[in-house]
Each structure stands twice: as structure tokens, then as C-alpha cells.
Amino acid sequence: MTRKIFPHAGAAPQALAPIPLWQQLAAVAQGLQMILTGQSGTAALAAVPVRLRPGVQALLFQVLRQLGRAQALRKQLAPKAPPAKVNALLCTALALAWDEVQAPYEPFTLVNQTVEAAKRGGLERQSGFINACLRRFLRERDALVAATDQDTLARWNHPQWWVDKLQQDHPQTWQQILQANNAQAPMSLRANKRKTTPSQYQQVLAAINIESTLFGQDGVQLAQAQSVQALPGFAEGVVSVQDGAAMLAAPLLLQGLDLSQPLQVLDACAAPGGKTAHLLEFAGAASPMQVTALEVDAERSTRIHDTLQRTGLQDQAKVLVADAGKPQTWWQQANGGQQFDAILLDAPCTASGIVRRHPDVRWLRRESDVAQLAAIQAQILDALWPLLKTGGRMLYCTCSVFKAEGDAQIKAFLARNNQAQLLPSPGHLIPGITAQVDGLQENAAGDHDGFFYALLQKNA
């Protein structure tokens, strides 16, 4: 079989060499079927044998980024939806094969191996149907693709409601957001200023032939993704993997505060701990600042401990398993019932800004989720605001591009809190856009994800 392109997922291509393609395609189709029934991409990949996982993840992500087109093509080939397992195999093959430029294998190879996956995966009776559909696709590719070009789902590979909401929220930039979502995100690292500088670490990378560029205060963006095990000093906490937009949180919250004082800082909704560590790194080793990191999910809270342990900051942070929206259950334990000097609220959201890193999100979310999550965000904002000292600062952020979770959320909060003042903030950061957006200067966050930031000060 001829291999054209390996869609990089942080693992070397040779790891895939001994694994038959049909086996990978079968695993991808199984993962796709799980996602289409509401399970996350993380859960889908966890069900894949470890040996297959790197290659399956790369192929699955490509399928998810092209799923709208694949579904539209499948409807052209088989107007009546086939059984779920058959549909998943067909959509897997169509997503990978429809665009020859992006196809990881020759289309004929993909078709042959998909049929083989059907035969070996309990679909012997349906393998003829799958073969007929895919052979017709190869014969009539141009006409079938053209017939789907005006289909919103096929063109943008996002649900119709998602496209409609972006058009409403961002009428000037909605197309750029969708295009960015369908691209692979770069790998960005945050240099731990307690242990190195971005330029020093860039030199270390250059010495082992890893190309990179610098951005922002602490960012190093890799020209090509790498396994973290291949990164010098990663295990010792010299660098952490973090998107450029997420790196803005610690500086935004702490700049202007007197870090020589024993500040009490709350990091609400803190897992996996990247922002918790960055707060402490930014403050510096001489700062007596203490951070309380909250996480409602006990399993996810272990990742905060792991992050702090790796970066050597475990003694300066207290990790609590608690619901940020119910302070009465944890405030006394966290800070003795005293108010905080600063609060970072990275609120639960639709994750609509990180679709390029998590391409399953667009297929898992429902339109009703936006309002439901906005209500949760408002409840947490209102619950945490009394815990902030007068003169203190709260940084509200979400990894969302939907205005209900950003601009509209903060406007509503300011309307019901006359003590709250909005300080200069980035607002909505748009993925794939590096020029001025909505009057805001470029945020120097590199090639960043979609995010929202609002810095609030509590006045007397």
C-alpha cells in the first residue's frame, strides 16, 4: 500500500509501520461511532489499544475535521442512513479520501482497506454495500463533491447552529474562526521563568535541531509538534505545554499587584493546573504569594498535583476538591474565611475556542449547552465575587468564542454589580487572526486558540 502523508500527532510515523491500515481504520470508525453517540474523544481514544493510539488519534482528528463533508457525501451515496457501525466506516473513509491533497493514503488504498476492515470487523454481509458506495465515490468524486459544496455542514464541517451563532456573534470574522477550527493547532510551550527564559530554552531546542519561534512574555512555539518526552527539561518543569492565549491569564491577573506581599490568590476550576503553576512562576521564587486551587472533579484534581509536583511548586499551592459555586463548603478551609486578594475564574464553558485541539467538541455540543453553561458561569461569578477584597481583582476567562460566555456574560455581571469595574482586557481573542480585532490590539499570544478575558476590579 502507498503511504502519502502521515498526519502528525506527536508520534513518529515509524510507530505505525507494522500495524495494518485496516486495523487503524476500524479503530478510527469505532472512535467516531462513540463520539457520535455522545462520548468524548478522550474516552474514544482511551478505548484504543496503546500501540495503535498515536496513529488512530491522528486519523480520527482528521476525520472529525472533515466529518461534515463526509456526512454530506454519505447522504449522496446512501440517502437512507445505514446502521451506525457501517455509517461510521463509510464516513471515516470519505473524510480521509475526499480531498486528495489532504488524504493520508491513496484513495484506492483507503477504499480497499476500509472494505477489509468491514470484513474483519463483523460486517461481512455489509462489506459489499460499503465497497459499492466507495467505488462509486472514486468514479464520481468530482460530481459528488460539487453536489455537496453548497451544504453548510459540508463546507464548514460544523453544525448549522454553530455556524449561525458565529455569524451573529462575529459577523466580520466568522469565516476565519471556522477555517482556523479546521486546521491543526501548533504546539506551544511556556518557559518557567524560575528556571529559564524563552530565548535560553530556544537555544537548547536549536542544539537538538528542534525549530521554534518566540512570542509573548514566556512563549515558545514549535515548528513541529514533539512528544513531551523529547523536550529537554520537561520532566523537571523547565517548560509546560500551554496555548498562547491561556498564557495571558497569570500576567493579566498579577500585573500591578505587589507580589512582595503575602497575597492570597484563588484559582477556581483549576485542573489540569497549568494556570496555577503559571501564577506561581510569574510571581517568582521570592514572592510569599499563596494559591488555592479548586477543582470539583476529584480525578482531575490529581492532575493539578502532578503539574505542581513536576514544576516544583507543590509547597506554594493548596489543592482542594470542591465546587467553586458553593463557597460555603470550602471557603473556611481554603483561606480561613478571609477574602482573597485576587481570583482567577477559568469558568466551565462550551470550549468553542479550542476546537482545533479538540475537534470532537463541535460534534458533541448542542445549541442548548450555550445557555446552560452561561447560567453556570453567572452563578459562579456571583458566588465568588463576595470572596474578593475591596480593591482586589478577578479575572474571568473562558476558552469560548461565543459572546454569551464572554462579552454578554460580563456586561450582565457589571449591570448587577455596581462595585465591579472592568479594567483594560483583551476581550474575545479570535483563533487564526493576528490583526486588530474589535478595536483591540494584537495580544502577542502567538498562533493562539479562541479565548475571552475580562479583568474586574472591586471598588468600595
Side-chain angles (χ1 to χ4, degrees):
M1 69 184 67
T2 304
R3 184 188 186 111
K4 286 176 56 184
I5 302 169
F6 179 79
H8 186 81
Q14 57 265 32
L16 271 168
I19 302 172
L21 179 55
W22 68 262
Q23 194 173 358
Q24 297 174 59
L25 294 174
V28 171
Q30 180 184 351
L32 176 59
Q33 188 178 349
M34 291 175 66
I35 290 167
L36 292 176
T37 57
Q39 298 186 62
S40 71
T42 300
L45 287 169
V48 176
V50 174
R51 180 166 170 262
L52 275 67
R53 200 171 294 162
V56 168
Q57 176 177 322
L59 293 172
L60 178 59
F61 277 23
Q62 186 169 351
V63 168
L64 292 169
R65 291 183 178 118
Q66 300 296 328
L67 182 58
R69 178 73 70 167
Q71 290 176 327
L73 287 169
R74 197 275 299 157
K75 288 179 182 178
Q76 292 285 321
L77 295 164
K80 182 180 178 181
K85 192 172 181 179
V86 175
N87 182 62
L89 258 180
L90 278 173
C91 286
T92 292
L94 292 167
L96 295 174
W98 83 270
D99 183 348
E100 284 192 284
V101 175
Q102 298 185 62
Y105 298 88
E106 298 293 343
F108 279 101
T109 299
L110 284 167
V111 170
N112 289 336
Q113 291 296 296
T114 300
V115 174
E116 187 69 16
K119 292 178 179 177
R120 292 175 178 257
L123 296 176
E124 295 89 347
R125 291 185 178 181
Q126 294 90 344
S127 63
F129 168 75
I130 293 171
N131 184 59
C133 287
L134 295 179
R135 295 291 170 182
R136 180 190 164 199
F137 167 73
L138 292 181
R139 293 193 306 270
E140 303 175 23
R141 178 208 309 269
D142 293 345
L144 289 167
V145 170
T148 63
D149 278 342
Q150 300 308 310
D151 185 312
T152 299
L153 189 69
R155 184 178 181 188
W156 296 112
N157 289 293
H158 285 71
Q160 180 72 54
W161 71 265
W162 193 300
V163 177
D164 293 342
K165 188 168 288 293
L166 287 181
Q167 288 176 326
Q168 179 182 354
D169 285 357
H170 304 283
Q172 304 302 317
T173 55
W174 66 273
Q175 295 186 49
Q176 291 96 316
I177 296 172
L178 292 170
Q179 288 165 351
N181 285 353
N182 290 327
Q184 183 172 325
M187 185 174 184
S188 297
L189 309 175
R190 184 188 74 244
N192 184 347
K193 65 185 298 181
R194 294 195 182 197
K195 300 186 177 186
T196 189
T197 66
S199 58
Q200 288 172 345
Y201 193 73
Q202 186 180 42
Q203 293 174 13
V204 172
L205 292 176
I208 55 174
N209 298 316
I210 296 179
E211 296 182 21
S212 64
T213 55
L214 304 181
F215 66 90
Q217 297 186 39
D218 302 314
V220 181
Q221 184 172 301
L222 303 185
Q224 190 171 25
Q226 305 289 330
S227 167
V228 293
Q229 286 79 17
L231 297 175
F234 178 84
E236 294 75 31
V238 176
V239 291
S240 298
V241 178
Q242 190 175 43
D243 179 75
M247 288 184 209
L248 297 176
L252 278 168
L253 182 62
L254 298 181
Q255 279 174 351
L257 299 180
D258 186 355
L259 298 176
S260 67
Q261 298 300 310
L263 301 177
Q264 292 293 322
V265 179
L266 173 66
D267 183 3
C269 314
K275 295 184 183 69
T276 305
H278 195 195
L279 287 166
L280 293 166
E281 292 169 14
F282 184 89
S287 174
M289 185 181 81
Q290 286 286 322
V291 176
T292 299
L294 290 183
E295 175 53 48
V296 69
D297 187 316
E299 185 174 346
R300 280 172 53 81
S301 73
T302 62
R303 298 181 63 190
I304 306 175
H305 287 288
D306 293 343
T307 298
L308 293 172
Q309 190 75 33
R310 183 179 61 81
T311 51
L313 299 167
Q314 64 274 18
D315 294 335
Q316 288 183 258
K318 179 187 297 182
V319 181
L320 298 179
V321 178
D323 185 342
K326 299 177 180 178
Q328 67 275 14
T329 65
W330 55 263
W331 188 19
Q332 190 69 33
Q333 181 184 1
N335 201 27
Q338 300 298 306
Q339 291 175 307
F340 292 95
D341 299 283
I343 296 176
L344 170 59
L345 172 54
D346 186 359
C349 70
T350 58
S352 59
I354 56 173
V355 175
R356 59 186 190 162
R357 298 185 191 277
H358 301 278
D360 57 322
V361 167
R362 73 190 93 177
W363 309 115
L364 293 171
R365 287 295 179 206
R366 299 293 178 263
E367 186 173 8
S368 59
D369 292 343
V370 181
Q372 290 173 3
L373 284 160
I376 292 171
Q377 293 154 11
Q379 188 270 325
I380 298 176
L381 270 167
D382 289 343
L384 294 181
W385 187 249
L387 277 57
L388 184 66
K389 289 181 180 178
T390 299
R393 294 179 174 183
M394 174 187 285
L395 181 64
Y396 170 83
C397 60
T398 62
C399 53
S400 175
V401 292
F402 295 146
K403 289 199 172 182
E405 302 180 279
D407 185 60
Q409 181 72 262
I410 291 304
K411 285 180 178 177
F413 179 77
L414 291 170
R416 63 180 184 267
N417 288 279
N418 56 18
Q419 284 185 303
Q421 177 188 355
L422 179 62
L423 300 180
S425 310
H428 282 283
L429 303 180
I430 305 302
I433 296 178
T434 56
Q436 254 188 322
V437 179
D438 295 335
L440 296 174
Q441 293 292 333
E442 160 59 13
N443 56 86
D447 185 358
H448 57 81
D449 288 339
F451 238 78
F452 176 83
Y453 282 108
L455 182 61
L456 303 166
Q457 180 170 288
K458 190 173 189 178
N459 297 328

